[in-house]
Amino acid sequence: MSTGHPAKPPTMHAPPVFDRDFCDRFEQLLAWRRDQRDFLTDPLPEGTLEELVSYASLAPSVGLSEPWRFVAVDDPARRQALRENFQRCNEAALAGFSGERAALYARLKLQGMDQAPVQFALFAENNPGQGHGLGRRTMPETAAYSAVAALHTIWLVARSRGLGLGWISILDPEEVSRLLDVPLHWVFLGYFCLGHPASQDDTPLLQREGWEHRRDSVVLYR
């Protein structure tokens, strides 16, 4: 029963000081957060995924809606079906290239589904009750943006603990949703492989292989 008094505000803490050494190491973390494709098959400690997902709540989300939905995929039959889904979509993508670009695409390793011990899918709930719609009336897609921000937060935590994470988007979203039997209004954002990296590099794979190169960021001033 309500007492009529306003809720007590949360305790405020003094902000920490992030010194130069911390900032340098954080920049190293960003540089070494790579999209991992090669994994050791060694199993991860029980509860690793759940612990990493707990850090999602530290990510920004529109209206404090926390619209991310994680689905762990342990069932071998579902993993195999998703692997076949990727293969079909990857072959279709390859057919869209020709010449040297097609040859290069065919050489790229674009998934770690055969080795990664932990695999999960990320979905966004575009109209969650939590948050009461704040910030989504004109831009409902911010729910998906929030889920991606949560994933990136988890990615950094995983890398700080010596784990690699790989994002697979070469999949049919509707088929993935059917295979994982999730609510129809959930929007598929990606499939992820998690484990100890078999190799590490601070340069993106696609840059090392000559597929694409990074460009300087551009800021427009108006």
Side-chain angles (χ1 to χ4, degrees):
M1 180 179 296
S2 173
T3 62
H5 298 292
K8 184 179 180 180
T11 302
M12 301 298 291
H13 300 284
V17 176
F18 300 112
D19 59 19
R20 185 66 255 176
D21 181 65
F22 174 88
C23 293
D24 289 342
R25 291 186 61 78
F26 182 69
E27 289 176 9
Q28 291 178 339
L29 175 62
L30 294 176
W32 284 88
R33 182 229 47 85
R34 301 272 53 84
D35 196 349
Q36 192 70 36
R37 304 302 185 189
D38 296 304
F39 296 90
L40 302 178
T41 57
D42 304 27
L44 299 183
E46 186 175 351
T48 295
L49 178 60
E50 290 78 6
E51 182 181 359
L52 290 175
V53 167
S54 71
Y55 286 91
S57 63
L58 299 180
S61 67
V62 60
L64 199 57
S65 59
E66 300 182 316
W68 41 80
R69 306 290 181 262
F70 294 91
V71 179
V73 182
D74 295 328
D75 179 62
R78 282 194 167 98
R79 284 193 178 190
Q80 179 59 30
L82 288 165
R83 179 68 175 79
E84 293 170 358
N85 182 332
F86 166 83
Q87 189 63 34
R88 290 192 298 272
C89 292
N90 195 47
E91 290 174 356
L94 175 59
F97 299 104
S98 61
E100 293 183 2
R101 183 62 63 173
L104 176 54
Y105 184 93
R107 294 197 301 269
L108 295 174
K109 189 177 191 303
L110 299 174
Q111 54 83 21
M113 302 167 79
D114 300 323
Q115 298 87 28
V118 174
Q119 300 179 26
F120 64 92
L122 171 64
F123 296 82
E125 186 168 353
N126 275 346
N127 191 29
Q130 184 174 331
H132 307 284
L134 191 154
R136 288 185 284 110
R137 180 174 181 179
T138 56
M139 295 185 66
E141 63 272 21
T142 50
Y145 300 163
S146 299
V148 172
L151 189 283
H152 188 252
T153 301
I154 291 170
W155 208 327
L156 291 176
V157 175
R159 184 62 190 87
S160 73
R161 299 186 178 185
L163 298 176
L165 191 67
W167 186 340
I168 304 171
S169 60
I170 307 173
L171 293 162
D172 181 310
E174 292 186 1
E175 184 176 346
V176 172
S177 295
R178 289 196 300 271
L179 287 170
L180 300 183
D181 192 25
V182 299
L184 294 177
H185 61 282
W186 287 13
V187 178
F188 175 67
L189 298 180
Y191 190 76
F192 297 87
C193 294
L194 175 69
H196 292 289
S199 61
Q200 301 182 59
D201 202 295
D202 62 349
T203 302
L205 169 67
L206 297 183
Q207 184 169 330
R208 298 199 310 270
E209 296 292 338
W211 180 265
E212 189 54 273
H213 296 278
R214 286 185 161 170
R215 293 168 172 78
D216 293 336
S217 299
V218 176
V219 178
L220 299 180
Y221 292 90
R222 297 291 191 246

